[in-house]
Amino acid sequence: MSAGRPLPVEDTHCIQNPAVDQRSCVHLSATPESAVSPYACQRRTTLENHNKIFTEALEVLALNSEFSGNQGSCLGFRRAASVLKSLPAALRSPEEALRLPCLGDNSRAVLEEICECGSSSRVEEIQNDQRYRTMKLFCSVFGVGPKTAESWFCRGLKTFEQVLTEPSIRLNRMQTAGFLFYEDISVPVSRAEAAALKMMMEEALLFINPSATVTITGGFRRGKEFGHDVDFIIKAPEGQEDRILPAVIKRFKSQNVLLYSDFQKSTFDLRQLPNHRFEAMDRFSKCFLLVKLQMQESRTGRNWRAVRVDLVAPPLERFPYALLGWTGSTLFERDLRRFARLERGKLLDNHTLYDKTTVTLYHTLHYHSILFYAILLYIVQYNIVLFYTIHNSVICNCIRYCSDSVLFYAIQRNGII
């Protein structure tokens, strides 16, 4: 206080708790129960999965539940897999899973069987099931969801050839493009290819509106090396967001790089905020594209391959919320909103942040400010007080973006010091 500014944090200022120092955590047994949060947005998850044998089995169960229309069971298995992915070491026994959150009886039974037998009979039965394999095959096509796949399977169809030769089936534009470019789309997109697509987007925006900028989101923003598509969010000048995506589509058509486009106009209405329901997709202008990515050589004999690209253009004042919403995975975003609602008394989605207590809609220019207001994670660890990067850099280490005084105030406000 006498210095008039935050002072450097020294060891004497910090809570000493060696039990939670995960630098020396070799086994899960050294990690206290409280270190694993039931919320995905409050867990540090590295790109290295130490429990792949368990998470792959749980994801099979989750996908099978999704195909059966059992969303509750699907969400439960996905949450269990997410918890295991966040662990700093592999599970050594079923007993270690007893104190982990989000692992129900079904998930624990699968883990126990894998620990004892090396595999799960239930998972193997699902993987050998004709319906599951057919549904998974059909759903791998761009534009085909579980309901469409189910209807095709109920007609006795089991292969792509049977679908394409069935006279009673009329494919829509998206499904037609999905089958036409299936070989290209089924190959994961690399980080280098995502960077090349970003350059294409920047060139298009420079031609359309030099004031507009583009930011890569999704898995690549979280640090992944590969993804099934590339997501971009466009920051357009105020009032121009509704015109920017049609202009991008027109530009790509003139360059002969556009293979397919599905433009969806904005249905965003400020009067409908806040939204009390969870919606994975927002109401901003967006489009789903298939574009040509130039390559030196291709398995198809072409000098390009088809790549999926998703674009969203929110209003300027909603950009921080959209950026946060398009960065995390579906489960991460769901838990982000759940944490804000249950632990902070606020409603958060891709459009706004609403305080139910003070009846306030927050206005912010930076997406990290949303976290200061609502669901900021502070961790007292490594003998320092720090604002930690969450979920593969989804928060992008926000210390870089705020002044020391703001950070110090936020830490005080959250009861760390």
Side-chain angles (χ1 to χ4, degrees), residues 234-279:
I234 296 177
K235 187 176 184 180
E238 187 173 0
Q240 300 184 28
E241 63 276 357
D242 292 333
R243 299 190 294 270
I244 199 76
L245 294 185
V248 170
I249 293 174
K250 182 178 179 180
R251 175 63 176 172
F252 282 169
K253 283 182 178 178
S254 68
Q255 295 177 318
N256 195 30
V257 297
L258 185 65
L259 300 170
Y260 167 84
S261 66
D262 176 23
F263 172 65
Q264 299 181 4
K265 293 183 179 180
S266 172
T267 59
F268 173 72
D269 186 351
L270 186 62
R271 294 171 299 179
Q272 296 180 358
L273 299 181
N275 182 15
H276 293 262
R277 297 180 302 172
F278 173 80
E279 295 181 354

Side-chain angles (χ1 to χ4, degrees), residues 121-134:
S121 58
R122 180 182 175 185
V123 172
E124 290 178 350
E125 181 180 351
I126 291 174
Q127 290 177 318
N128 293 326
D129 180 66
Q130 183 64 58
R131 179 182 179 276
Y132 172 82
R133 290 189 295 176
T134 304

Side-chain angles (χ1 to χ4, degrees), residues 316-381:
L316 185 61
E317 73 275 8
R318 302 296 151 187
F319 179 82
Y321 299 101
L323 180 60
L324 184 61
W326 278 69
T327 296
S329 64
T330 302
L331 179 61
F332 180 88
E333 295 299 327
R334 179 184 286 274
D335 274 12
L336 200 62
R337 301 174 191 189
R338 190 165 63 100
F339 183 88
R341 185 181 76 254
L342 299 179
E343 306 294 338
R344 295 292 184 265
K346 296 178 174 63
L347 298 177
L348 172 68
D349 60 14
N350 286 22
H351 308 97
T352 192
L353 176 66
Y354 174 76
D355 192 319
K356 295 188 291 184
T357 303
T358 61
V359 194
T360 303
L361 283 175
Y362 287 91
H363 299 280
T364 176
L365 296 178
H366 302 285
Y367 78 98
H368 59 269
S369 299
I370 304 169
L371 303 168
F372 283 148
Y373 287 131
I375 31 83
L376 195 53
L377 173 68
Y378 290 96
I379 298 176
V380 180
Q381 204 157 41

